[in-house]
Amino acid sequence: MKVGFQNYFKGNTFANRGMTLESDINQTNEYYNLHDIALVYKKPTPIKVVQVEYPKNRIREAYFNEPSTLDYNGVYKGKYLEFDAKETQSKTSFPLSNIHKHQLEHIRKVLYYGGIAYLIVRFSTLDKTYVLFGEDLIQFIENFDRKSIPLDYFNEKGYLLELKYAPRLDYIKIINQILNIKEVR
Amino acid sequence: MKVGFQNYFKGNTFANRGMTLESDINQTNEYYNLHDIALVYKKPTPIKVVQVEYPKNRIREAYFNEPSTLDYNGVYKGKYLEFDAKETQSKTSFPLSNIHKHQLEHIRKVLYYGGIAYLIVRFSTLDKTYVLFGEDLIQFIENFDRKSIPLDYFNEKGYLLELKYAPRLDYIKIINQILNIKEVR
C-alpha cells in the first residue's frame, strides 16, 4: 500500500509531469475531453473519514482505503470503460502482485456486464507501454500458474502504445479498433 | 455544501437504513450486483489531503471538495450510466439550486459521449420518486426561465419509481425501456 500512497501524492502535488505513467494518462484524458473524444476520469481516492472539526469541516482524522476497483473510468461512444495504470521496473515480466485480488474480481464483473476493462502497463526500463484487455489478463491467470506475465504475452496479446506529444498515450485508438472488430462480427 | 457533508455521514455511519433516498439506492445497487443485473457504485467523496502522519499513513488535515460529477456511475449492458440522487421537501417543485453548475455541465458531457445520465428525485413529503433523464432536465433549463422544475414536469417527462422491498427503487427497469425504444428506432 505504501507505493500507492506515494503515487497519490506524486499525482496530485509534486508530480514531475510527463514523467510518470499517471501523468501521461491524465494528459491523455484532458486531451480527449478538450477534443470531444471521450470522457474519462480518475476516481477520487477512497478515504475513510473518522473525525471532522466543525464549523470549518476540516477533517482531522482519516485513513486511505485500499482500492477495490480500477483507478479510471469513463464513457466512449456510449460504452463503459474502466482501467488501471501499472508500472514495473522489470525487463522481462509484469508481476501479478501489482493487481489486488479485489481489482481482479472487479475486472471480471465489468466484463460480465459488457463493459470494457483493461490495464495500461508500462515496462519503465524498456520504455514500452501496453494495453492489455481484461479478457486476456484473465485468460492468462486461468491458464498459467505463474506469478508474473512475461513480456512475450504482452507482445502477443497486448497492444503497444506509442508515446506521442498529444495525446500522450492514445489508448482510445485501440478501443476503437476493438469496437469496430466487434461490430463487424 | 453543509447538507452534502451531513449526507456524507448519514450515508456512511449513522444512517437510518431504508429511510433515506441514498440508502434506498445503495440497497438497489447491492441487489443489482447480487443478482447479476448491473454494476453501479457510489463514487468516493472527493477529499483534498493536506497533511499525512507517517508511518501510520494517518491523514491529519484534509477537506471535502465540492463534487463536479454525479454521485453514482456504472455499467449496464455495456452502456455507461451516471446519476445523482436528490431529495426535496417541496410538494410542488424541485429547486434547481440542488444541482451544482458543474454537475449540469457534466450531465451535458455524459450525454454528448453517448452515456445515460439522469437524476433520481424524491419529493419526500409526497413520497414520490422519479427518474428524470438528463435530456429532459436540460430541455427544461433551456426552455424555461425558472428556478425550479414543477412536479407536473416530472409527471409528464419523468418516470415514477415505485418503492418496493427488493430492489427498493428499480431504476434499471426504466433504463431498459429506454434502451429498447432506442434499439427499435
Side-chain angles (χ1 to χ4, degrees):
Chain A
M1 280 303 286
K2 273 189 186 164
V3 173
F5 300 149
Q6 283 162 9
N7 280 343
Y8 178 82
F9 289 104
K10 257 194 198 167
N12 284 274
T13 50
F14 19 92
N16 187 354
R17 287 182 72 87
M19 294 296 286
T20 67
L21 178 58
E22 185 174 320
S23 69
D24 284 342
I25 289 174
N26 290 345
Q27 283 183 349
T28 301
N29 293 343
E30 279 166 31
Y31 179 94
Y32 289 154
N33 194 359
L34 275 170
H35 293 78
D36 297 340
I37 295 165
L39 188 64
V40 180
Y41 283 91
K42 187 168 195 299
K43 296 182 197 169
T45 305
I47 288 173
K48 186 185 154 82
V49 177
V50 175
Q51 197 200 325
V52 180
E53 189 180 85
Y54 296 101
K56 282 190 174 175
N57 290 315
R58 189 202 315 229
I59 298 164
R60 297 314 301 259
E61 188 181 358
Y63 299 89
F64 294 99
N65 279 341
E66 199 158 332
S68 59
T69 66
L70 308 188
D71 271 355
Y72 301 85
N73 71 359
V75 53
Y76 172 65
K77 292 186 176 174
K79 302 281 180 188
Y80 181 86
L81 307 180
E82 183 158 346
F83 66 96
D84 221 316
K86 307 277 188 190
E87 276 184 279
T88 180
Q89 297 293 327
S90 164
K91 290 176 185 175
T92 54
S93 66
F94 170 70
L96 286 168
S97 56
N98 279 292
I99 309 166
H100 297 287
K101 204 177 162 185
H102 289 117
Q103 289 185 318
L104 202 62
E105 205 43 56
H106 187 73
I107 290 171
R108 283 182 209 269
K109 280 189 188 176
V110 172
L111 296 176
Y112 175 84
Y113 291 106
I116 300 168
Y118 49 100
L119 300 179
I120 296 181
V121 176
R122 175 170 290 173
F123 290 82
S124 315
T125 318
L126 304 174
D127 226 352
K128 285 190 169 181
T129 308
Y130 296 86
V131 169
L132 186 68
F133 283 100
E135 291 88 340
D136 296 318
L137 171 68
I138 288 180
Q139 202 175 32
F140 182 89
I141 289 169
E142 285 177 355
N143 290 313
F144 301 98
D145 190 22
R146 296 186 58 165
K147 285 185 179 167
S148 65
I149 306 177
L151 181 64
D152 281 353
Y153 192 79
F154 285 88
N155 283 321
E156 191 195 334
K157 301 275 190 173
Y159 296 80
L160 193 64
L161 284 175
E162 204 190 328
L163 193 65
K164 292 186 299 179
Y165 176 67
R168 299 280 294 170
L169 289 169
D170 195 4
Y171 63 83
I172 284 290
K173 199 171 137 189
I174 312 297
I175 306 293
N176 208 30
Q177 283 174 20
I178 296 297
L179 289 178
N180 288 337
I181 292 166
K182 280 188 180 168
E183 271 168 29
V184 171
R185 269 181 198 156
Chain B
M1 278 307 286
K2 274 191 182 164
V3 173
F5 300 150
Q6 283 163 10
N7 280 342
Y8 179 83
F9 287 103
K10 258 193 194 168
N12 284 275
T13 49
F14 19 92
N16 187 354
R17 285 183 74 85
M19 294 295 285
T20 67
L21 178 58
E22 183 173 321
S23 68
D24 284 343
I25 289 174
N26 290 343
Q27 283 183 347
T28 301
N29 293 342
E30 280 167 29
Y31 179 95
Y32 288 154
N33 194 1
L34 276 171
H35 293 78
D36 296 339
I37 295 166
L39 188 63
V40 181
Y41 283 91
K42 188 169 193 298
K43 295 180 198 170
T45 305
I47 289 172
K48 187 186 154 83
V49 175
V50 175
Q51 196 201 326
V52 181
E53 190 181 86
Y54 296 100
K56 281 189 174 176
N57 289 315
R58 189 202 314 229
I59 298 164
R60 296 315 300 257
E61 188 180 356
Y63 298 89
F64 295 99
N65 279 342
E66 199 159 331
S68 59
T69 66
L70 309 187
D71 272 355
Y72 300 86
N73 71 0
V75 53
Y76 172 64
K77 292 187 176 174
K79 301 280 181 189
Y80 181 86
L81 307 179
E82 181 157 347
F83 67 97
D84 220 316
K86 305 279 188 187
E87 277 183 279
T88 179
Q89 297 292 326
S90 164
K91 290 176 185 174
T92 54
S93 66
F94 171 70
L96 286 168
S97 56
N98 279 291
I99 309 166
H100 297 288
K101 204 178 160 184
H102 289 116
Q103 290 185 318
L104 203 61
E105 206 41 56
H106 187 72
I107 291 171
R108 284 181 208 270
K109 280 189 187 174
V110 173
L111 296 177
Y112 175 84
Y113 291 106
I116 300 168
Y118 49 100
L119 300 179
I120 296 182
V121 176
R122 176 170 290 172
F123 290 83
S124 315
T125 317
L126 304 174
D127 226 351
K128 284 191 169 180
T129 308
Y130 296 85
V131 169
L132 185 68
F133 284 100
E135 290 88 340
D136 296 318
L137 171 68
I138 287 178
Q139 202 174 34
F140 182 89
I141 289 168
E142 285 178 356
N143 290 311
F144 301 98
D145 190 22
R146 295 186 57 166
K147 284 184 178 166
S148 64
I149 305 177
L151 182 63
D152 280 354
Y153 192 79
F154 284 88
N155 283 320
E156 191 196 333
K157 300 275 189 173
Y159 295 80
L160 194 62
L161 284 175
E162 205 190 327
L163 193 65
K164 293 187 298 181
Y165 177 67
R168 299 281 293 169
L169 288 169
D170 195 3
Y171 63 83
I172 284 290
K173 199 171 137 190
I174 311 296
I175 306 293
N176 209 30
Q177 282 173 23
I178 297 296
L179 288 179
N180 288 337
I181 291 166
K182 280 188 181 170
E183 272 169 31
V184 170
R185 271 180 197 155

